[in-house]
Amino acid sequence: MAAVRICVCGDEGTGKSSLITSLVKDELVTTKIQPVLPQITVPPRIDTPENVTTTIVDTSALPQERHTLRKEIRKSNVILLVYSDHYSYQRVALFWMAYFRSLGVNVPVVLCANKSDLAGVDDAAQVIEEEMMPLMAEFKEIDSCIRTSAKNFHNTIEVFYLCQKAVTHPIAPLFDSKESNLKPTAVAALQRIFCAYQYPQGDEYTLTYSDLCDKDQDGHLNDKEFDNFQKKCFDKLLPENDLNSNKQAIQKISAECITDKGINARGFLLWNKMYAEGGRHEIIWTILRAFHYTDSLSLKDSFLNPKFEVPPYSSAELSPAGYRFFVDLFLLFDKDNDGGLNDQELAALFAPAPSLPASWADCSFPSSTCRNEAGHITLQGWLAQWSMTTFVEPKTTLEYLAYLGFESPEKGGTTAALKVTKPRRRRRRPGRVDRNVVSCYVLGASQSGKSSLLDAFLNRPFSQTYHPTIKPRTAVNNVELQGGKQCYLILEELGELEPAILENQAKLDTRDILCYTYDSSDPDSFSHIVELRRRYPQLDELPAVYVALKADRDKTTQRSEQQPDEYTNELRMAPPLHVSVTWSSISELFVHIAESATYPSTAFPKQEEEPVDRTNLYIAIGATICAAAAFVIIWKRTTSSGSA
């Protein structure tokens, strides 16, 4: 927020103009002051909240000035309502608050008891208890209250500071004064912060589970972890005496909140509640804003969705820092060390996020990747799933990196966890495509074995039961290429959406390779591939491999114009690979698919060999002969001249 506009209201004679003059002059003004002061702009100062510029507008309560009063109230961010005696105090509830509500404005009101030097009551606490607290209980719009005296220069600066703070650090979203509790949205935000993760500042990316930097994730915040938290939010450490005082105050309210391990989650909420009750809610806002929360207690859109563009023919992948973050995250939450994340561990891991990514539910996570015998996702499957999510929806990965607490010591925020690959415009050119994640559509006739192929890819046991694929199904796993290089391969079976997807050129452009499959024991299986290529000629623009599945059964002649070997030979492509998901060598097929995707020129039809062009050779030989003849002629002439 760049500016705060304060509208000073109240009955005539309550000292509104004197308060403003005392603030500006920084001293008591004894000369006569005009009834309504002109608008005043106060530039930011060191002690100004959020470094905002403040505009103060004086008003008149006279009936003939009511139109101007309405206009200024509607333009303001906060209202300073001033009273000075019993009559003007009674008018706060009977007229002013009702008037504000009738205008439909929704701005905080700071209640000011001015001329405290004339009140005859030295006990400020008594005035607040008897006069102000009943009004605050009745009218939720009243943000705070204060006693002032322009004559004695008492709280004249503080009252305008409260007005600024009511706008820059509003109490209403945080605390319910009637219930004397933090509001549910504030509790949810603070609990997420307590359950957040972060990278500390430094050269190394080292994950720390933050229960506010709770590195051991014991559900408590020890002194060292609290220091890290203070440094992140306030850029300074809390003195040890103040920390001990806070602990003692929390312990008086709830003894179990403070243990030898430190402050637990409930104690952390009580600590924030104490600040809200004490009128120090700017501390809570500082914490929330350090963790990228907006005034509506939602995470900033720029934090969840930073600018990240993937050019055409390029793709997004996790960077080394991104992989390291997800590895550490997995290891941190595998509490039973069984190599897998069970439902409870996954729920704890995703506690700072609204839920699992929607795309994960669409692909039936965790069945889309590797699981252990108990059905829990393994580290291999966890990394594969995030690799696929980043490839398909990089913005989803960025959003969840923000939820889960990734922070980079360098500029760039969550985008430091991702990288963009080089464009692959010319796939027919020999050479390797610079990608570590590749995607493949598995095409073929019904019951050709596509689903079993995806199961084998995820090391699932073979099942004789046939289950038709209705909606698209995805499987992702890592593949070790020749030379030991790791690559993530995404296999997708299209189901009944196959026609719609193959007609979508944009979707085809994102694929790296096609895998045409047919049942070598079914005579009608291969003809489906021939028909697919005829119906969708755009498929020829993608690299492809042909696979004959169910090779453990008796091979049969295909009812097609050409047999598979003849068909591929005419296309000048490699013949179909004969494999079976029941064979242990099935893994070699996945390596072959990944290799063909990373070297796409090998999976296109081979070019016809052209006659060898020897023109350059003949020119070179002729030039050599001419040069030799010239040398001989020159040598003979030189010799003849010497003899003469």
Side-chain angles (χ1 to χ4, degrees):
M1 178 173 292
V4 171
R5 189 178 182 89
I6 304 172
C7 183
V8 184
C9 300
D11 289 345
E12 296 298 306
T14 54
K16 304 187 296 296
S17 301
S18 297
L19 273 178
I20 299 172
T21 306
S22 295
L23 173 73
V24 175
K25 299 292 186 180
D26 207 19
E27 61 181 9
L28 175 64
V29 178
T30 56
T31 58
K32 186 176 181 180
I33 303 172
Q34 61 191 94
V36 179
L37 295 175
Q39 177 179 304
I40 295 171
T41 300
V42 182
R45 300 191 305 186
I46 295 177
D47 57 348
T48 302
E50 299 296 312
N51 198 32
V52 296
T53 299
T54 305
T55 301
I56 303 173
V57 180
D58 194 9
T59 62
S60 172
L62 296 176
Q64 60 267 30
E65 299 293 337
R66 200 57 52 86
H67 174 72
T68 303
L69 177 64
R70 283 197 301 269
K71 182 177 69 174
E72 293 298 342
I73 288 174
R74 286 179 171 143
K75 289 167 61 177
S76 66
N77 304 116
V78 58
I79 297 171
L80 175 59
L81 180 56
V82 183
Y83 73 90
S84 61
D85 53 25
H86 182 72
Y87 174 76
S88 57
Y89 168 74
Q90 293 292 329
R91 290 255 301 165
V92 168
L94 295 176
F95 172 74
W96 285 106
M97 295 306 299
Y99 181 65
F100 298 152
R101 287 181 174 180
S102 70
L103 296 179
V105 294
N106 183 26
V107 296
V109 176
V110 175
L111 187 61
C112 172
N114 195 24
K115 301 185 180 181
S116 60
D117 55 295
L118 301 177
V121 180
D122 295 328
D123 188 0
Q126 181 180 350
V127 174
I128 293 173
E129 183 69 28
E130 294 180 358
E131 291 184 3
M132 296 179 169
M133 294 308 294
L135 288 173
M136 292 187 71
E138 182 178 356
F139 300 101
K140 293 297 181 183
E141 303 94 315
I142 300 178
D143 180 90
S144 55
C145 55
I146 188 172
R147 295 184 73 215
T148 63
S149 171
K151 179 180 180 180
N152 294 341
F153 203 63
H154 175 62
N155 284 342
T156 52
I157 295 177
E158 287 76 5
V159 66
F160 291 100
Y161 174 82
L162 285 179
C163 292
Q164 292 170 328
K165 196 172 73 168
V167 178
T168 60
H169 302 93
I171 185 65
L174 303 178
F175 191 70
D176 187 334
S177 56
K178 187 175 182 179
E179 299 292 334
S180 191
N181 274 320
L182 293 170
K183 289 188 175 180
T185 51
V187 171
L190 292 169
Q191 284 178 334
R192 179 194 167 272
I193 291 173
F194 193 84
C195 294
Y197 324 86
Q198 66 175 354
Y199 283 104
Q201 299 296 322
D203 295 332
E204 296 296 328
Y205 284 94
T206 305
L207 177 70
T208 56
Y209 174 72
S210 163
D211 280 348
L212 297 177
C213 304
D214 182 11
K215 296 182 180 180
D216 49 10
Q217 201 200 341
D218 61 353
H220 292 78
L221 192 64
N222 60 42
D223 291 354
K224 183 177 180 180
E225 293 161 348
F226 193 87
D227 285 344
N228 292 335
F229 163 68
Q230 281 285 132
K231 187 70 175 174
K232 175 180 175 65
C233 296
F234 305 99
D235 201 26
K236 64 180 180 180
L237 301 180
L238 188 68
E240 186 175 352
N241 292 339
D242 291 348
L243 177 59
N244 292 332
S245 298
N246 285 332
K247 287 183 178 180
Q248 291 172 5
I250 295 170
Q251 202 163 22
K252 286 181 181 179
I253 301 173
S254 179
E256 67 272 12
C257 291
I258 305 295
T259 68
D260 294 338
K261 295 181 179 180
I263 304 172
N264 64 14
R266 184 165 180 266
F268 178 68
L269 292 176
L270 284 175
W271 179 63
N272 282 277
K273 179 185 175 184
M274 285 162 46
Y275 280 120
E277 290 176 327
R280 299 291 307 280
H281 42 280
E282 70 272 12
I283 292 178
I284 304 176
W285 277 116
T286 302
I287 295 171
L288 292 168
R289 287 166 182 164
F291 284 87
H292 309 285
Y293 278 91
T294 66
D295 290 348
S296 60
L297 296 183
S298 60
L299 287 169
K300 291 180 181 177
D301 185 66
S302 60
F303 176 61
L304 293 177
N305 303 293
K307 185 177 180 180
F308 186 81
E309 298 296 334
V310 181
Y313 305 105
S314 295
S315 64
E317 296 179 3
L318 288 172
S319 68
Y323 277 116
R324 198 174 310 161
F325 175 80
F326 284 117
V327 167
D328 290 342
L329 207 58
F330 181 95
L331 297 177
L332 193 60
F333 280 88
D334 183 17
K335 309 302 290 184
D336 50 11
N337 295 318
D338 65 344
L341 295 179
N342 58 40
D343 292 344
Q344 292 76 20
E345 291 166 342
L346 272 176
L349 191 155
F350 281 101
S355 62
L356 290 176
S359 59
W360 289 25
D362 295 339
C363 67
S364 302
F365 173 83
S367 64
S368 57
T369 191
C370 296
R371 296 180 291 179
N372 59 19
E373 294 179 355
H376 305 149
I377 185 172
T378 62
L379 176 59
Q380 176 183 343
W382 172 253
L383 296 179
Q385 185 72 24
W386 279 113
S387 297
M388 178 175 68
T389 304
T390 306
F391 179 87
V392 178
E393 297 178 333
K395 290 192 179 297
T396 297
T397 299
L398 288 171
E399 180 181 357
Y400 276 80
L401 283 167
Y403 282 131
L404 300 178
F406 176 89
E407 289 187 5
S408 168
E410 302 174 356
K411 292 183 178 179
T414 54
T415 57
L418 271 62
K419 66 176 184 178
V420 177
T421 64
K422 295 179 180 179
R424 47 144 177 77
R425 290 188 180 90
R426 301 177 180 177
R427 294 194 248 201
R428 297 177 186 267
R429 177 180 294 178
R432 187 180 188 278
V433 174
D434 185 24
R435 293 195 173 191
N436 297 315
V437 182
V438 292
S439 177
C440 173
Y441 279 153
V442 180
L443 307 177
S446 176
Q447 301 189 52
S448 62
K450 300 186 296 296
S451 297
S452 296
L453 183 66
L454 267 63
D455 287 337
F457 183 48
L458 300 176
N459 302 313
R460 308 274 165 78
F462 173 69
S463 173
Q464 295 284 355
T465 307
Y466 172 67
H467 298 284
T469 302
I470 307 301
K471 66 178 185 177
R473 180 194 168 192
T474 306
V476 59
N477 200 351
N478 71 318
V479 176
E480 184 173 338
L481 306 179
Q482 295 180 8
K485 186 176 179 62
Q486 297 290 320
C487 173
Y488 287 98
L489 175 62
I490 304 169
L491 298 181
E492 186 170 358
E493 181 186 3
L494 305 182
E496 294 184 351
L497 292 181
E498 182 179 273
I501 293 175
L502 296 184
E503 288 174 355
N504 190 329
Q505 187 62 48
K507 284 187 173 293
L508 289 177
D509 288 342
T510 63
R511 301 305 105 171
D512 295 283
I513 194 167
L514 301 175
C515 178
Y516 294 112
T517 64
Y518 69 96
D519 180 357
S520 58
S521 65
D522 180 358
D524 297 316
S525 188
F526 186 74
S527 60
H528 180 80
I529 296 176
V530 177
E531 177 61 21
L532 268 184
R533 294 189 70 250
R534 184 194 64 78
R535 190 183 310 165
Y536 306 105
Q538 62 269 32
L539 299 181
D540 292 346
E541 298 302 316
L542 275 75
V545 295
Y546 290 80
V547 180
L549 294 173
K550 304 184 184 180
D552 55 324
R553 300 181 181 179
D554 292 337
K555 180 180 177 182
T556 186
T557 302
Q558 295 293 317
R559 296 192 184 103
S560 179
E561 293 181 0
Q562 292 176 302
Q563 293 304 298
D565 286 7
E566 297 173 352
Y567 184 82
T568 53
N569 184 55
E570 186 174 297
L571 292 174
R572 300 187 301 280
M573 295 189 68
L577 296 173
H578 290 260
V579 297
S580 171
V581 297
T582 61
W583 295 350
S584 59
S585 60
I586 187 66
S587 59
E588 297 177 9
L589 169 62
F590 307 126
V591 174
H592 176 68
I593 294 173
E595 289 276 8
S596 300
T598 53
Y599 292 89
S601 63
T602 63
F604 278 109
K606 296 178 182 179
Q607 299 295 325
E608 292 184 357
E609 294 186 2
E610 298 180 356
V612 178
D613 186 359
R614 292 187 172 88
T615 303
N616 292 335
L617 177 62
Y618 296 149
I619 292 173
I621 293 174
T624 304
I625 293 172
C626 291
F631 174 77
V632 171
I633 293 170
I634 294 171
W635 177 76
K636 285 183 177 181
R637 287 181 179 177
T638 304
T639 305
S640 300
S641 298
S643 300

